Amino acid sequence: QVQLVESGGGLVQAGGSLRLSCAASGRTFSSYDMGWFHQAPGKEREFVAAINWSGSSTYYADSVKGRFTISRGNAKNTVYLQMNSLNAEDTAVYYCAAARLGLGIARLGLEIITNPSKYNYWGQGTQVTVSS
């Protein structure tokens, strides 16, 4: 079992930056892939970015490509999401998720990587609010 806790959310002005952190505890294995999703009020949970546990492969939603960067720390139980050039559409609760998808090894389609139902461990989320 994997337990995930997000931190780093807050209120930021449009054009600003935030860095989210996801700390994993419990039974953590190197085979776990990690993802970031966000969910705005009244909206479906949407894929933001993903990284395989080794950090060798990354994936991004078109809406954040070039602005956000997903990475892992030296300790494999920590994953980050650096968010730059934030805009109002980025306002949402951001969730960290984990799964054994085989990213970077298996030839997976985006329909798998971006599907929240494929991730079986979730954090409680951290609120990101971008103001004008």
Side-chain angles (χ1 to χ4, degrees), residues 71-124:
S71 63
R72 65 173 179 87
N74 291 332
K76 291 186 177 180
N77 63 343
T78 305
V79 176
Y80 303 100
L81 184 68
Q82 177 66 46
M83 305 186 295
N84 299 326
S85 301
L86 287 162
N87 57 60
E89 293 184 353
D90 297 316
T91 295
V93 177
Y94 283 72
Y95 297 92
C96 180
R100 289 177 171 173
L101 300 179
L103 269 60
I105 300 174
R107 296 294 186 267
L108 301 177
L110 292 176
E111 68 273 13
I112 300 297
I113 300 169
T114 64
N115 189 343
S117 68
K118 300 298 183 181
Y119 294 77
N120 50 356
Y121 299 103
W122 293 86
Q124 294 300 306

Side-chain angles (χ1 to χ4, degrees), residues 7-13 18 20 83 86 92 126-131:
S7 62
L11 177 64
V12 64
Q13 294 184 21
L18 286 173
L20 306 183
M83 305 186 295
L86 287 162
T126 184
Q127 177 71 49
V128 171
T129 302
V130 183
S131 65

Side-chain angles (χ1 to χ4, degrees), residues 30-81:
S30 62
S31 61
Y32 276 86
D33 304 308
M34 305 294 294
W36 286 97
F37 293 76
H38 67 190
Q39 186 169 20
K43 303 292 185 179
E44 297 291 322
R45 191 166 299 187
E46 294 182 327
F47 171 78
V48 176
I51 188 169
N52 70 331
W53 198 237
S54 71
S56 61
S57 298
T58 58
Y59 307 84
Y60 297 95
D62 289 342
S63 62
V64 306
K65 190 174 183 180
R67 299 189 298 124
F68 292 8
T69 303
I70 188 170
S71 63
R72 65 173 179 87
N74 291 332
K76 291 186 177 180
N77 63 343
T78 305
V79 176
Y80 303 100
L81 184 68

